[in-house]
Amino acid sequence: MPTFELGPNQYGKAETRLVRVERGADGDRLTDLNVSVALRGDLAASHLTGDNAAVLPTDTQKNTVYAFAREFGVASIEAFAARLAEHFVASQPSIHEARVAIQQYPWQSVDGRHSFRREGGEVRTATVHHGPHGTQVASGIGGLVLLKTTDSEFHGYLKDRYTTLPETRDRILATSVDATWRCVEGFTDPRPAREALVEAFADTYSYALQQTLFAMGSRVLERCPDVVEVKLSLPNRHHFLVDLAPFGLDNPNEVYYAADRPYGLIEGVVRRDGAAVPEEVAWTF
């Protein structure tokens, strides 16, 4: 008769939406977060026999997020995530590791007091993993949409009987950047890393989105000495020239069709030579 064993497992409360308003005489400060918690530890009994004695309910995890926001505030998403992760491990003997991932949605004041507007689609991110080997922090951004109208080519690639894509010496290059970076220790100001990503995208003459990815990651490492590695996910937001010949018109790289899917997805990690990667960094939801 076959036997089975339980492999790696985790559980938690995903996507707790939290909006915190800090009231002030000179105007309010708005913080808009999406918080996800995942826990690991001595939890096999809940899977194998339904014994929940070691399980901290996910509803309790949600309540902790709200209570900590009130009691301690949100100075930064990295610090808030670290406080939560350390709490879950320290307060529950059955929990050995905690991972807290936070997305922050930007709002801009429109009157300097009580009115705000939501800024674009870009979000700040932070993921904190706390366990036996200490605390690991990965900061980042998601949904940073960039586009250049020229200075991009794509040619010299493999071709077979199914290839129909024409080579190009001038194309639109567009992407929506998801980037995370890991520091030697502690947190880092995200602004220099974001600026480095944008600048490298803009001033790199691109022969492939892969080349642009490496240039962007390298620029972050150059500008931010405390960062040891950068992980980038770059979907290629394809823009195809529209054939206007049936209408008796030319198209000198002016009219494009923006395709949302399918799309090329270019991903990679750029790290300093010899940078050690802690095993827990690979732990994902």
Side-chain angles (χ1 to χ4, degrees):
M1 184 167 178
T3 59
F4 310 99
E5 65 177 19
L6 179 67
N9 61 91
Q10 61 208 40
Y11 83 107
K13 198 67 162 182
E15 301 199 38
T16 295
R17 294 289 284 112
L18 163 66
V19 175
R20 188 176 193 275
V21 180
E22 295 180 45
R23 309 289 181 178
D26 297 328
D28 296 340
R29 177 175 176 262
L30 185 68
T31 303
D32 187 356
L33 306 180
N34 190 29
V35 183
S36 292
V37 176
L39 307 178
R40 282 186 172 185
D42 294 328
L43 302 167
S46 64
H47 290 271
L48 302 177
T49 66
D51 181 353
N52 294 317
V55 174
L56 181 70
T58 64
D59 190 68
T60 303
Q61 298 171 35
K62 174 203 70 178
N63 293 340
T64 304
V65 170
Y66 292 134
F68 273 37
R70 174 65 184 94
E71 186 174 1
F72 303 110
V74 184
S76 72
I77 57 176
E78 289 87 356
F80 188 59
R83 186 184 293 274
L84 286 166
E86 291 166 3
H87 163 78
F88 289 125
V89 173
S91 63
Q92 303 299 328
S94 61
I95 303 302
H96 302 162
E97 300 175 78
R99 172 163 283 197
V100 179
I102 300 179
Q103 296 173 308
Q104 181 174 14
Y105 306 104
W107 290 82
Q108 180 67 42
S109 176
V110 298
D111 63 358
R113 292 183 57 78
H114 314 304
S115 299
F116 298 82
R117 70 170 181 268
R118 173 73 183 271
E119 293 292 315
E122 180 184 342
V123 299
R124 277 265 289 113
T125 64
T127 300
V128 172
H129 179 202
H130 180 71
H133 303 290
T135 301
Q136 296 290 332
V137 180
S139 301
I141 55 175
L144 173 62
V145 179
L146 301 174
L147 181 148
K148 59 197 310 178
T149 58
T150 188
D151 288 347
S152 176
E153 306 181 15
F154 190 56
H155 51 81
Y157 45 82
L158 288 171
K159 302 179 181 68
D160 65 14
R161 59 182 294 196
Y162 303 110
T163 301
T164 60
L165 182 72
E167 295 190 347
T168 178
R169 306 282 173 165
D170 187 11
R171 67 171 181 171
I172 285 179
L173 183 66
T175 187
S176 177
V177 180
D178 287 340
T180 57
W181 49 87
R182 184 172 61 85
C183 298
V184 177
E185 60 181 17
F187 316 137
T188 185
D189 183 350
R191 289 170 295 183
R194 182 191 183 280
E195 292 170 2
L197 291 169
V198 174
E199 290 178 11
F201 178 87
D203 63 26
T204 298
Y205 193 103
S206 179
Y207 294 95
L209 188 51
Q210 289 89 334
Q211 173 203 7
T212 301
L213 180 151
F214 187 76
M216 293 170 73
S218 298
R219 187 73 59 87
V220 172
L221 297 178
E222 291 171 359
R223 294 280 184 85
C224 306
D226 54 339
V227 173
V228 295
E229 70 172 9
V230 184
K231 179 180 179 181
L232 289 159
S233 178
L234 304 182
N236 196 339
R237 293 193 164 189
H238 300 297
H239 289 65
F240 299 111
L241 276 172
V242 177
D243 181 9
L244 300 179
F247 318 121
L249 299 170
D250 64 354
N251 189 2
N253 290 349
E254 291 185 358
V255 180
Y256 296 83
Y257 165 62
D260 64 343
R261 65 195 65 179
Y263 52 85
L265 181 59
I266 313 302
E267 298 178 295
V269 175
V270 184
R271 62 170 58 110
R272 299 187 188 278
D273 290 342
V277 182
E279 181 180 349
E280 59 266 27
V281 171
W283 183 41
T284 58
F285 289 109

